[in-house]
Amino acid sequence: MTAGIYSIGAVARMLGVPTATLRTWEERYDVVMPERSPGGHRLYSRDQVEQLRFVLRNIESGLQPADAHRLLADRLAEAPDETLPNSDPETRLVIMLAERDPYAAELAEYFLRTEGYDTIVVLDAREAEALFDARSPNLAVVDLLISGGSGPSLCRSLRGRGAMVLAISPLESRDEALEYGADAFLQKPLDPLQLVSTVKDLLGDSAFLRTKVPSP
């Protein structure tokens, strides 16, 4: 199982499902079980998000939640290492990359632009807030160490304005990132594919074409 990345609030927004429903499914069906951080926060992996999408597709096709989870459990028992398909379309959106390291920012910007995103880079926390007001990006990627460690307050500020935030840091700071209001956390150095796929998950589409398990 890959590491947990997404908070329950982020998953709820990604899937359009109330957080209470996700908790109920976890407790009632014991199939999609998110990781718990040391601070007790639920953290879902990319695979678990796809598993929940699989459940939702089956519910939308007419199955009861119990039957949809039973079907998922059967698929996972047959092939526990396989992933489920996701065919969400790509969408061109605006991303603000608030980084402390210009070289890391340049690399991340390259990969995000390659995927078709309009990416704006800022290397100062105060400038990031001003730029957010001017451009209203769909997602803010915030280095928690930007401007001498101003990332936490920047996360809180942007979340207070309704922004979706992906926190990044060279330190293992998942709990702290969630406390600051981030929707997801990635530890640096960033893997380009994981960065792109995480961004796409948060914005409602996916970088991975998953074909090992057919959609019902």
Side-chain angles (χ1 to χ4, degrees):
M1 175 71 69
T2 54
I5 296 174
Y6 307 106
S7 70
I8 189 170
V11 174
R13 285 189 293 275
M14 289 157 62
L15 301 180
V17 175
T19 57
T21 298
L22 295 176
R23 292 190 188 96
T24 297
W25 286 354
E26 175 190 342
E27 295 166 2
R28 183 171 298 172
Y29 305 118
D30 198 31
V31 178
V32 182
M33 302 295 292
E35 177 185 347
R36 291 300 183 101
S37 73
H41 296 282
R42 289 175 170 84
L43 290 168
Y44 293 79
S45 69
R46 293 199 74 251
D47 288 344
Q48 289 175 326
V49 172
E50 297 304 328
Q51 291 163 11
L52 289 168
R53 284 197 175 107
F54 178 86
V55 167
L56 286 173
R57 285 197 299 271
N58 280 280
I59 292 174
E60 290 168 358
S61 70
L63 290 183
Q64 293 298 312
D67 294 327
H69 279 84
R70 189 175 301 112
L71 180 59
L72 173 62
D74 291 343
R75 293 293 180 90
L76 294 176
E78 293 171 3
D81 295 328
E82 293 187 344
T83 51
L84 304 174
N86 184 342
S87 57
D88 293 338
E90 287 195 34
T91 306
R92 183 174 178 81
L93 299 167
V94 179
I95 298 172
M96 181 176 74
L97 185 59
E99 252 282 6
R100 67 185 178 91
D101 181 345
Y103 301 104
E106 182 179 5
L107 184 61
E109 180 187 20
Y110 169 78
F111 285 106
L112 292 172
R113 285 189 177 275
T114 298
E115 293 297 320
Y117 291 108
D118 182 3
T119 306
I120 49 180
V121 174
V122 59
L123 302 175
D124 176 81
R126 288 185 180 179
E127 186 181 349
E129 294 202 47
L131 192 57
F132 180 86
D133 291 337
R135 293 293 303 274
S136 298
N138 302 95
L139 173 69
V141 181
V142 177
D143 187 328
L144 296 178
L145 299 184
I146 192 172
S147 299
S150 298
S153 60
L154 179 59
C155 284
R156 291 192 187 99
S157 175
L158 297 182
R159 283 297 286 128
R161 301 182 215 184
M164 184 170 287
V165 177
L166 167 59
I168 60 176
S169 174
L171 307 176
E172 171 44 67
S173 306
R174 287 188 298 172
D175 263 340
E176 292 87 345
L178 295 173
E179 293 290 345
Y180 303 147
D183 295 285
F185 172 80
L186 290 176
Q187 188 168 3
K188 299 172 72 175
L190 300 177
D191 174 81
L193 182 57
Q194 187 180 37
L195 170 64
V196 170
S197 59
T198 301
V199 166
K200 288 190 170 186
D201 278 343
L202 289 171
L203 294 176
D205 47 276
S206 176
F208 294 147
L209 295 177
R210 300 170 178 232
T211 58
K212 290 186 178 181
V213 181
S215 179

